Amino acid sequence: MAGLARLGSGLSVAARQVWAKHDRDEDDWLPLWRHLADSGAVAGLLWDEWLPAQVRDVIAAALPGGLKDARRLVVWSAATHDIGKATPAFACQVELLAEGMRKVGLEMPLRGQMDDRRLAPHGLAGMVLLHEWLMERYGWRKRSAWQWAVVAGGHHGVPPSPSDISELAARPRLLRSPGSAGAWREVQWELLDACAAACGVDERLPQWREVKLPQPVQALLTGVVIVADWIASNADLFPYARKAGDSSERERVEAAWRGLALPSPWQPAAPNVDPAELFASRFDLPLGARIRPLQERAVQVADGMAPGLMIIEGPMGEGKTEAALAVAEIFASRSGAGGVFVALPTMATSNAMFSRVLRWLLRLPDARTDAGARSVQLAHSKAALNEDFRALTWADLRATRGVQPDEDSSDGATAELVAHQWLRGRKKGMLASFGVGTIDQLLFMGLKSRHLALRHLALAGKVVIIDEAHAYDAYMNSYLDLVLSWLGAYGVPVVVLSATLPSGRRRELVEAYSGTCDADAVGDATGYPLITSAVRDGASAVHEVPASGRRTEVQVEPLDDDLELLADRLDRELAAGGCALVVRNTVDRVLQTAAYLRERLGEGNVSVAHARFLDLDRMRKDADLVERFGPPEAGGQRPDGPCVVVASQVAEQSLDIDFDLLVSDLCPVDLLLQRMGRLHRHQRGAGQSERPERLRQARCLVTGADWGAVPVEPVAGSQRVYQRSVLLRTAAVLWPHLTGATPAERSVRLPEDISPLVQSAYGPAPVGPPSWQQEMDAAHARYRVHIEKQRTKAESFRLAAVGRDGSALLGWIEAGVGEADDTPAGRAQVRDGVESLEVLVVQRLADGTVRTVPWLDGGKGGRALPTDAVPESQLGRIVAACGLRLPFQFTIPQIADQAIAELEEEVIPAWQFKDSSWLAGELILFLDENCRTRLAGYDLTYHRDDGLEATRVE
């Protein structure tokens, strides 16, 4: 910092007159040299106090001088990032400041005389100037120079493309005005020479000339420069000349850094790798519980390998999450990771995991005795509605002016965990040390979107945990494989969790991360539970794990898809009480089934659970399910009488619920096994003696298909959700059990049969009766075409693979999605499809009164909402928590367009002001007194207990 503090002292009058920033309100300005010095100083502090060692090591590995060279490079990259502002194309924007520059010999046209100045944005201009300077001053070759100069080019989020460079090359007057080109060059070179000397790179650049800067290093440098620039551009932290006072440059930077108060990264201490002691100190184990074999073996494997990729496959309820967190701690202590990110399939699973991770964090030690607060982020679009997350984000009267319009300006502080004010918002949230979020947040690392380098920087410093890996389709997996290859290139340790994976998918994950794979060992492994380990460009291995002793035999049988037949069977099975779970593949089938069963079994004995509820109602539903059907130690009130829950796929994951009997639509075998994991999940008395006698044997009735057809014919709704080929192969591998003559033949043994069933269903060998094969072959051919279409479609906005030749990141995200990463459009890109249309639901009464829906708990229901003003923050938050995803019909383009048009006609103008942060830009669905409305040709009816039902208007 000492050299940068003196950067302006030796400059010419002309160089000191070049401006970087202008405050129109205060009529104040900031000289370019000062902003460059500020940015470089901030970059140095980021390197010293904020960047995890894992990131620093990646940059250092590319340079001959290691960490010392790497720090110099980071500071110099930040100190030169805005050199493109020393050009006529930029300087002409403010006439008063431009005239000051003309007076010292830097001539330039008026702004109106430079219509093509948009072709020289200052990032591109700076990249070109740096490139010229490296070649002219230090004799660098053209190709090598681009690898280093591209960092300046990409500091506003989009690295320039070769066509951008060509357009600018044809207009040299945008860089240096004719008539004073010499003066411009002298000032540009003077500033660059001064930065090189101040940063200590003037003597290193000749040695760096032959260095190939790998693409991961270019991306990390760009990310650090973006962060440094954003901090140094904050006028509250770095005031302009008039407000700067008499403080020295060093005092100016130190005061800004204290005011920012960024939490330092986690520095994990090497944990005690005695597995039992480690788990006892980190997790709330039930009284008398012992560490499970899968958990113990995961810790042992992690302790014996270099940080890399670990895939943990094990049955439901084996504690894979706790194993992953323990492994993450071991990996981080060796790799220098400064945090952990956990990725899950949905917001609901993310919210549930967030609470668990917070409890773990409070017990997690740090190598530093003076470790301060840890920054934490819940990364999904509705994080602000999560109570645990909000508890970390206390409102603060301080407000620091940022440079990004989407950032939240409140501050947060608790004794140990904080959602830091500066690290919140759509672009910066992932920079927090610890995060839990939807898988989208990880997949965005492979989406060509603006400021992508920030997301790479954020994830390159962490251990990444990917949960429920079996839940992602081929489209999402194409993004995931690409992301894994980048994570491997950064040396990021990754832990993948799954109930079980097809052997081919396991091999793909290893190959994506490591670049190589022992195909025989990894692909042919049949043990279960199973741990697979791999390192970048190194060996992979598999480790079979003994089962924990927890096992369940589930007798399966087919049940024709007939509601009367289902009702008769449930009536008989639940005659002495008991709890049954009926899982349907579509919400429409859930509602139809529940309505029929209520008529037969009684209104109070049947409830539903699916995703088509208001957010608050969905949370209430989930809590109710865990309260009634959770583990015995939770102390919930399990129903005594007959009870049926009809649910969609929301019952497959995240909820620790336990039923006596399961009825499931035919679905992919790995998901069916997940559903079976909700059957006799916990021990209830010796030999399950606390369950009704008839239900002490676990049974699963498989329905949703015509079992008499050849081959079996799944119902139409299921084929809309899942591929026909996958459903047929599931039926085929289950056929020996479904048609078994004895209880033993009908039994699926958990966990022993999990892996064989999955490998057979997804493997290449023929399965099922011979009479099925012709139709199954045709369905599989259609499935292969579908998979290829998915992969091809994913390529549209997917990032290129990691370049291994040191080529520059020119055009890195060209033809990308712009700002649409964490938005509905962005999520649709990584999830193969149009995002479900989401609305906020309120009631509008006949007299025009608008209110929150009346049944909400805690005084939230029936609250009047103003229509001539922005609702106060508390009311706005209640409305925002009543989000609802409309049914799949509203993803059909013409219906979605019509619905949006109709909803926009109902917009309340007063709610659209920017200071209405909860409601601005949202679509509002108004229900009448009976909770009904009509939208885009559908009658919509909402019930607090059943959710939304949509009926096409004839």
Side-chain angles (χ1 to χ4, degrees):
M1 192 190 298
L4 286 167
R6 299 190 297 271
L7 180 64
S9 60
L11 294 177
S12 66
V13 173
R16 291 176 64 85
Q17 194 65 35
V18 179
W19 67 277
K21 296 183 180 295
H22 176 243
D23 187 334
R24 291 181 176 84
D25 296 333
E26 300 289 338
D27 193 24
D28 204 355
W29 67 287
L30 188 72
L32 178 59
W33 68 265
R34 174 165 274 168
H35 178 58
L36 298 181
D38 290 342
S39 301
V42 168
L45 289 166
L46 291 172
W47 178 273
D48 295 337
E49 301 185 29
W50 185 72
L51 283 179
Q54 187 167 283
V55 171
R56 298 198 302 266
D57 289 344
V58 173
I59 301 173
L63 298 165
L67 287 169
K68 195 171 183 179
D69 264 4
R71 187 186 189 280
R72 288 192 187 106
L73 174 57
V74 165
V75 174
W76 175 69
S77 297
T80 56
H81 78 283
D82 260 355
I83 189 61
K85 290 184 174 180
T87 60
F90 178 86
C92 72
Q93 293 180 96
V94 179
E95 180 55 28
L96 179 64
L97 300 179
E99 184 58 29
M101 292 174 63
R102 293 188 190 101
K103 290 179 180 178
V104 294
L106 299 175
E107 293 296 332
M108 71 189 84
L110 297 172
R111 178 175 182 170
Q113 296 172 332
M114 300 185 73
D115 293 338
D116 55 353
R117 54 174 297 278
R118 62 180 179 78
L119 297 175
H122 71 269
L124 169 61
M127 182 182 75
V128 170
L129 293 179
L130 268 170
H131 186 258
E132 290 182 6
W133 178 80
L134 286 170
M135 291 194 296
E136 181 175 312
R137 281 284 199 260
Y138 293 95
W140 282 40
R141 289 189 291 270
K142 182 176 182 179
R143 189 172 186 272
S144 297
W146 285 129
Q147 298 171 20
W148 302 66
V150 73
V151 175
H155 82 268
H156 273 286
V158 181
S161 67
S163 62
D164 296 328
I165 298 171
S166 298
E167 291 277 5
L168 180 55
R171 297 165 177 82
R173 59 187 175 78
L174 297 176
L175 298 179
R176 302 176 184 105
S177 295
S180 62
W184 277 104
R185 178 183 292 272
E186 287 179 12
V187 165
Q188 293 160 352
W189 270 209
E190 180 185 359
L191 287 167
L192 288 172
D193 290 342
C195 288
C199 299
V201 303
D202 49 347
E203 296 180 356
R204 300 301 299 155
L205 287 170
Q207 281 72 41
W208 293 350
R209 182 172 52 196
E210 302 303 322
V211 173
K212 288 185 177 180
L213 209 58
Q215 286 189 345
V217 175
Q218 297 174 42
L220 292 179
L221 286 171
T222 304
V224 175
V225 168
I226 291 171
V227 174
D229 181 33
W230 283 1
I231 294 172
S233 297
N234 190 307
D236 285 345
L237 297 174
F238 291 90
Y240 292 178
R242 189 175 298 168
K243 293 183 178 179
D246 297 326
S247 61
S248 69
E249 297 301 323
R250 179 184 291 275
E251 291 171 340
R252 169 186 170 86
V253 173
E254 290 175 348
W257 190 252
R258 286 194 303 272
L260 184 63
L262 277 181
S264 298
W266 172 44
Q267 293 184 17
N272 180 348
V273 292
D274 177 87
E277 292 183 14
L278 179 60
F279 272 71
S281 64
R282 300 293 188 270
F283 307 109
D284 294 318
L285 299 178
L287 186 65
R290 299 178 57 188
I291 185 172
R292 295 189 172 123
L294 180 64
Q295 297 170 329
E296 182 175 25
R297 188 66 178 126
V299 169
Q300 293 169 347
V301 172
D303 186 47
M305 65 178 285
L309 171 70
M310 180 181 289
I311 304 173
I312 302 176
E313 298 175 68
M316 299 66 71
E318 283 292 289
K320 295 190 292 293
T321 297
E322 288 75 17
L325 293 173
V327 169
E329 185 178 352
I330 296 169
F331 279 171
S333 69
R334 296 179 181 173
S335 70
V340 176
F341 181 73
V342 186
L344 299 108
T346 65
M347 292 184 194
T349 54
S350 299
N351 287 335
M353 181 63 71
F354 188 64
S355 300
R356 297 170 69 181
V357 169
L358 289 182
R359 291 194 294 272
W360 171 68
L361 285 176
L362 291 173
R363 295 182 173 187
L364 196 61
D366 198 295
R368 300 164 299 170
T369 58
D370 61 342
R374 295 177 181 149
S375 57
V376 185
Q377 177 73 12
L378 178 60
H380 61 65
S381 61
K382 295 189 177 181
L385 301 176
N386 180 279
E387 294 297 337
D388 287 332
F389 183 63
R390 283 183 59 79
L392 305 178
T393 58
W394 296 22
D396 193 348
L397 295 178
R398 289 181 298 139
T400 313
R401 282 186 292 172
V403 296
Q404 297 302 310
D406 61 315
E407 306 303 327
D408 197 331
S409 61
S410 61
D411 193 8
T414 65
E416 299 183 3
L417 305 176
V418 297
H420 190 276
Q421 172 253 337
W422 198 83
L423 294 175
R424 290 162 63 189
R426 183 163 60 87
K427 292 186 181 295
K428 295 182 296 191
M430 290 291 288
L431 293 169
S433 295
F434 294 91
V436 177
T438 55
I439 188 68
D440 313 69
Q441 302 296 330
L442 178 64
L443 300 186
F444 288 148
M445 189 181 183
L447 181 67
K448 291 192 286 188
S449 58
R450 195 176 183 92
H451 292 109
L452 180 62
L454 272 185
R455 195 168 295 268
H456 279 237
L457 175 65
L459 289 162
K462 295 180 173 63
V463 177
V464 172
I465 298 174
I466 303 169
D467 201 2
E468 308 280 5
H470 54 271
Y472 311 125
D473 61 19
Y475 184 93
M476 296 173 73
N477 282 335
S478 70
Y479 274 94
L480 181 56
D481 290 350
L482 174 67
V483 167
L484 283 173
S485 71
W486 277 93
L487 292 175
Y490 287 123
V492 172
V494 177
V495 185
V496 177
L497 306 179
S498 179
T500 189
L501 290 169
S503 59
R505 182 64 192 139
R506 186 189 307 130
R507 185 169 56 248
E508 289 171 352
L509 291 171
V510 171
E511 289 175 342
Y513 180 87
S514 67
T516 183
C517 178
D518 184 341
D520 292 336
V522 174
D524 296 342
T526 58
Y528 189 79
L530 191 71
I531 294 174
T532 305
S533 59
V535 295
R536 184 71 172 179
D537 296 323
S540 52
V542 293
H543 313 265
E544 295 188 9
V545 183
S548 67
R550 297 172 67 252
R551 68 187 302 272
T552 304
E553 286 199 7
V554 180
Q555 290 189 2
V556 297
E557 62 177 278
L559 182 69
D560 287 340
D561 193 54
D562 178 271
L563 288 176
E564 183 177 3
L565 186 64
L566 173 63
D568 289 344
R569 185 63 180 270
L570 290 174
D571 196 19
R572 185 165 65 253
E573 299 289 353
L574 303 178
C579 306
L581 174 65
V582 179
V583 184
R584 298 304 209 189
N585 292 338
T586 68
V587 176
D588 286 343
R589 280 175 62 80
V590 169
L591 296 175
Q592 292 164 4
T593 302
Y596 188 88
L597 292 179
R598 282 173 178 151
E599 293 180 1
R600 288 288 308 275
L601 305 179
E603 185 77 22
N605 295 327
V606 179
S607 60
V608 304
H610 54 75
R612 209 185 292 170
F613 279 94
L614 304 186
D615 291 334
L616 284 174
D617 286 343
R618 170 76 183 276
M619 292 165 58
R620 174 177 55 83
K621 279 280 183 181
D622 288 352
D624 175 68
L625 284 173
V626 174
E627 171 71 19
R628 293 193 292 156
F629 308 107
E633 59 268 19
Q637 185 61 46
R638 191 171 180 85
D640 293 326
C643 179
V644 178
V645 175
V646 188
S648 68
Q649 292 89 336
V650 299
E652 282 178 9
Q653 54 200 14
S654 81
L655 297 177
D656 188 358
I657 49 179
D658 169 28
F659 289 85
D660 304 315
L661 176 69
L662 173 68
V663 180
S664 174
D665 278 350
L666 179 65
C667 64
V669 67
D670 44 344
L671 303 184
L672 183 60
L673 292 167
Q674 282 281 101
R675 296 175 186 183
M676 289 184 188
R678 273 58 187 157
L679 182 62
H680 286 211
R681 185 178 179 92
H682 298 288
Q683 190 70 26
R684 297 191 180 273
Q688 302 289 0
S689 59
E690 295 177 8
R691 302 183 193 271
E693 183 175 358
R694 187 180 179 90
L695 303 176
R696 290 172 188 168
Q697 168 62 54
R699 279 177 293 153
C700 173
L701 313 180
V702 185
T703 184
D706 179 357
W707 297 105
V710 179
V712 165
E713 182 64 20
V715 296
S718 296
Q719 295 192 54
R720 191 178 67 244
V721 177
Y722 305 112
Q723 286 294 306
R724 175 177 171 81
S725 174
V726 177
L727 294 175
L728 291 181
R729 288 190 67 88
T730 295
V733 299
L734 288 174
W735 196 246
H737 302 282
L738 293 168
T739 58
T742 67
E745 291 173 337
R746 291 194 296 272
S747 291
V748 172
R749 300 166 303 159
L750 305 180
E752 297 98 310
D753 291 338
I754 292 178
S755 184
L757 285 171
V758 171
Q759 303 313 326
S760 295
Y762 289 98
V767 290
S771 59
W772 292 18
Q773 296 310 307
Q774 183 175 354
E775 177 58 29
M776 288 184 69
D777 289 344
H780 185 67
R782 292 191 294 271
Y783 174 62
R784 296 290 302 174
V785 170
H786 169 73
I787 293 297
E788 192 56 38
K789 284 183 177 178
Q790 280 191 309
R791 289 174 175 161
T792 302
K793 181 180 176 183
E795 291 176 1
S796 301
F797 298 107
R798 198 176 63 196
L799 195 65
V802 186
R804 291 180 175 258
D805 60 351
S807 57
L809 291 177
L810 297 174
W812 194 39
I813 60 173
E814 191 174 16
V817 296
E819 297 280 4
D821 50 359
D822 192 13
T823 64
R827 290 190 290 273
Q829 288 299 335
V830 296
R831 285 190 180 258
D832 186 25
V834 180
E835 180 101 337
S836 298
L837 191 61
E838 185 168 3
V839 295
L840 303 182
V841 177
V842 298
Q843 268 193 321
R844 182 161 54 197
L845 308 182
D847 63 1
T849 300
V850 176
R851 67 180 189 181
T852 60
V853 292
W855 57 82
L856 302 179
D857 297 329
K860 298 175 182 176
R863 299 279 298 274
L865 298 165
T867 56
D868 58 350
V870 175
E872 62 181 47
S873 180
Q874 183 185 28
L875 284 175
R877 181 169 177 263
I878 294 172
V879 177
C882 291
L884 173 70
R885 293 192 184 279
L886 297 179
F888 76 94
Q889 294 95 328
F890 290 85
T891 64
I892 300 171
Q894 58 267 33
I895 296 176
D897 291 344
Q898 182 181 346
I900 291 171
E902 292 178 12
L903 291 168
E904 288 179 341
E905 289 180 2
E906 300 293 323
V907 162
I908 297 177
W911 292 8
Q912 301 306 307
F913 292 114
K914 289 183 179 180
D915 55 351
S916 177
S917 59
W918 294 109
L919 306 180
E922 300 291 343
L923 296 172
I924 310 295
L925 182 70
F926 295 93
L927 301 178
D928 63 17
E929 291 94 334
N930 299 313
C931 292
R932 296 172 61 94
T933 191
R934 180 169 291 185
L935 181 67
Y938 283 84
D939 278 333
L940 303 182
T941 304
Y942 189 88
H943 191 280
R944 64 167 300 186
D945 294 322
D946 286 351
L948 183 72
E949 186 169 6
T951 306
R952 182 71 178 173
V953 179
E954 297 298 335

